Amino acid sequence: MTTFFLKNKLAILLFILTFFNALLFAFAGEKKEIEPPPTGQNKIEIKEFNFYPQTITVKSGEKITWVNRDEEPHTVVSVDQKFKKSSALDTDQEFTITAGVPGTYTYFCSVHPKMTGTIIVEK
Amino acid sequence: MSDYISHDHEHDGIDRRGFLQCMAWAGTGLLWTVSGGVLASKTLAQIAKAGNALPTTSDLSFLQISDSHIGFSKEANKDVTETFKIALDRINAMATPPAFLIHTGDITQLSKPEEFDTFDQVLKGCRTKDVFFVPGEHDVLNDGGKLYRERYLKSVGARGAGWYSFNKNGIHFIALVNVLNLQAGGLGQLGDEQLEWLEADVKSLGADTPIVVFAHIPLWAVYPQWGWGTSDSERALGYLKRFGSVTVLNGHIHQVLQKVEGNVTFHSAMSTAFPQPAPGTAASPGPMKVPAEKLRSMLGLTSIQYKQGKTALAVVDSNLS
């Protein structure tokens, strides 16, 4: 029962996050008409051995940047090697990829594999 | 709370409460004696008072150092090279030098060649020259451990990702690698190839052969939520079940923790670089910042003594303060 509610909550949270993300892109889209597309808007912070946000939704062709805020090195490695892996990121170091083919991509830190995250790439 | 013994099932003068009290003292310098899987302990101060020096006639004494993290320079310890040097000074000052050292991983912070260089340079100052290594995840960050194996595992005939075994004074030592090819969402991992090798490695040994296993990540579930465990360690321990004395040494968690399960004693060592929080007591297992005057009391090394003909291995932790 608890698991069911937890899953439900997660689903709601995911939905809200996706909704706000979509909203963000809507604004970004409007902004695009007046100035060049902003870069680094899809930022994932690595903090306290977690990826924040844990799930991010982006459009194909957009950049995604991770920044390590821990004192511990972390990596970003795609499960099944769907995108290039980062080298070990020291404190405040960044790693950027460009979102490719639409789909759902899971990744993890190969140093601390308990740390996982998801990227949803839309058209 | 009085120090009476409420349950003495093993007739060894220690009950569960007594054991837990001893556990609370671990890290401040304790002599652990493991006999038939049962622990007894004395503080170093008690031993000194009684005029009993640490056993000097034992057939083998070796030392474990761990988690040097050369290259780390954050607030938790801005000079890890210096504290590593202090640890070596302690070894050099021992009345009976250890036969060899084992380093249970995380030599470096970022696997950089210059960090390994600094470590090697400082290690040259140690009187004990034989050192056996197993990698930590910080040593294999970008190249799957290639550089590490070239530097530290060539002379021991390591297989695969770097596992090997050797015999000293009738003890069979097994070095395992559980920091490579880790899977998303998982823990430390040994992998099928290494496990098959382990099974074959111990097959011809008599059950009375003392076994010492060393690996970086604990081979027991210390705190899986923080990744402090090894997913397939049960299988490894299954191959060692028939042996009368198994001692498993690890680093990784930067604190002294001990657990006894049947004939197996698990022991994790302090770091020479910085402490980490006790399981579940912080938001994450990152470096723990402590007042400067307290730091050296939370760093240390582990001495292990073995006397031939007995199943007892004495494991002594001492800090750097």
Side-chain angles (χ1 to χ4, degrees):
Chain A
M1 200 58 140
T2 321
T3 325
F4 173 75
F5 277 121
L6 198 67
K7 271 185 183 165
N8 245 354
K9 275 184 186 167
L10 276 174
I12 292 166
L13 191 70
L14 199 72
F15 175 77
I16 294 170
L17 277 174
T18 315
F19 177 75
F20 275 107
N21 251 330
L23 211 65
L24 199 70
F25 286 127
F27 283 120
E30 278 173 25
K31 237 179 161 184
K32 225 183 252 178
E33 288 166 16
I34 7 174
E35 52 188 73
T39 51
Q41 60 182 357
N42 300 315
K43 205 150 209 179
I44 299 170
E45 284 219 323
I46 307 173
K47 216 175 166 184
E48 301 283 19
F49 290 62
N50 276 298
F51 296 107
Y52 293 107
Q54 203 168 33
T55 300
I56 194 167
T57 305
V58 302
K59 300 258 189 243
S60 180
E62 282 181 348
K63 285 189 181 346
I64 307 165
T65 299
W66 286 262
V67 58
N68 181 16
R69 300 294 186 207
D70 272 347
E71 290 188 348
E72 180 77 3
H74 295 293
T75 64
V76 175
V77 177
S78 157
V79 173
D80 299 329
Q81 298 162 5
K82 294 274 174 63
F83 57 85
K84 69 167 182 181
K85 66 176 182 183
S86 75
S87 59
L89 305 174
D90 200 4
T91 309
D92 294 332
Q93 277 187 341
E94 294 188 350
F95 171 65
T96 301
I97 61 162
T98 304
V101 183
T104 301
Y105 299 84
T106 51
Y107 65 90
F108 69 113
C109 166
S110 61
V111 191
H112 314 98
K114 278 274 163 198
M115 297 168 56
T116 58
T118 305
I119 305 163
I120 299 165
V121 181
E122 293 175 339
K123 269 187 188 173
Chain B
M1 192 194 290
S2 60
D3 283 336
Y4 67 89
I5 294 170
S6 53
H7 300 91
D8 189 11
H9 304 296
E10 305 289 336
H11 308 294
D12 55 5
I14 191 159
D15 65 347
R16 187 174 176 275
R17 174 170 288 174
F19 170 69
L20 289 172
Q21 280 179 342
C22 291
M23 287 292 285
W25 279 97
T28 56
L30 271 181
L31 174 68
W32 290 99
T33 314
V34 188
S35 183
V38 179
L39 287 167
S41 71
K42 282 179 176 177
T43 65
L44 294 180
Q46 277 173 344
I47 294 163
K49 223 180 193 176
N52 282 335
L54 293 175
T56 50
T57 53
S58 59
D59 285 350
L60 184 69
S61 122
F62 64 98
L63 217 126
Q64 179 191 6
I65 49 173
S66 200
D67 296 85
S68 324
H69 286 266
I70 301 299
F72 180 88
S73 59
K74 310 275 163 41
E75 210 185 318
N77 183 358
K78 291 188 171 160
D79 197 348
V80 296
T81 306
E82 181 58 24
T83 46
F84 175 52
K85 271 183 196 157
I86 292 168
L88 297 186
D89 288 345
R90 293 295 163 90
I91 300 169
N92 289 340
M94 287 172 78
T96 311
F100 56 86
L101 310 183
I102 60 172
H103 191 289
T104 43
D106 285 356
I107 285 177
T108 69
Q109 176 69 1
L110 293 169
S111 308
K112 290 180 179 169
E114 58 268 31
E115 294 173 343
F116 286 117
D117 288 345
T118 302
F119 175 86
D120 292 350
Q121 196 55 40
V122 176
L123 189 64
K124 278 182 188 163
C126 187
R127 273 165 56 196
T128 306
K129 295 298 175 195
D130 279 346
V131 190
F132 295 93
F133 295 90
V134 283
E137 73 281 1
H138 283 252
D139 298 321
V140 299
L141 286 177
N142 298 318
D143 66 350
K146 192 168 171 279
L147 179 66
Y148 185 93
R149 285 190 291 276
E150 272 166 21
R151 284 199 184 219
Y152 304 107
L153 301 179
K154 251 187 172 170
S155 59
V156 291
R159 317 264 186 101
W163 53 82
Y164 59 99
S165 66
F166 59 94
N167 297 308
K168 290 265 186 194
N169 298 45
I171 304 177
H172 189 66
F173 288 83
I174 303 167
L176 298 179
V177 181
N178 55 0
V179 297
L180 280 164
N181 302 317
L182 306 185
Q183 306 299 311
L187 303 168
Q189 184 179 275
L190 295 160
D192 285 343
E193 196 188 344
Q194 183 167 210
L195 285 162
E196 280 160 23
W197 169 86
L198 175 66
E199 185 181 19
D201 183 68
V202 298
K203 209 162 203 173
S204 59
L205 298 174
D208 58 346
T209 309
I211 305 283
V212 173
V213 178
F214 57 109
H216 180 64
I217 298 177
L219 290 172
W220 47 300
V222 174
Y223 196 63
Q225 295 92 321
W226 281 357
W228 289 1
T230 302
S231 58
D232 46 8
S233 60
E234 281 297 317
R235 200 174 136 197
L237 295 166
Y239 300 140
L240 305 175
K241 223 166 213 166
R242 66 188 177 88
F243 292 95
S245 167
V246 179
T247 306
V248 183
L249 305 171
N250 66 266
H252 188 58
I253 64 172
H254 298 212
Q255 60 196 290
V256 171
L257 277 182
Q258 182 151 319
K259 182 192 169 189
V260 180
E261 212 174 82
N263 292 338
V264 185
T265 298
F266 300 90
H267 189 98
S268 78
M270 282 179 271
S271 157
T272 64
F274 53 83
Q276 278 178 267
T281 60
S284 76
M288 187 163 82
K289 294 167 191 95
V290 295
E293 66 277 11
K294 212 184 160 195
L295 176 65
R296 275 165 58 175
S297 72
M298 301 182 85
L299 309 178
L301 33 82
T302 303
S303 171
I304 300 105
Q305 312 241 355
Y306 168 70
K307 199 166 187 181
Q308 205 160 18
K310 293 191 175 182
T311 52
L313 264 81
V315 183
V316 183
D317 297 293
S318 46
N319 63 38
L320 301 184
S321 60

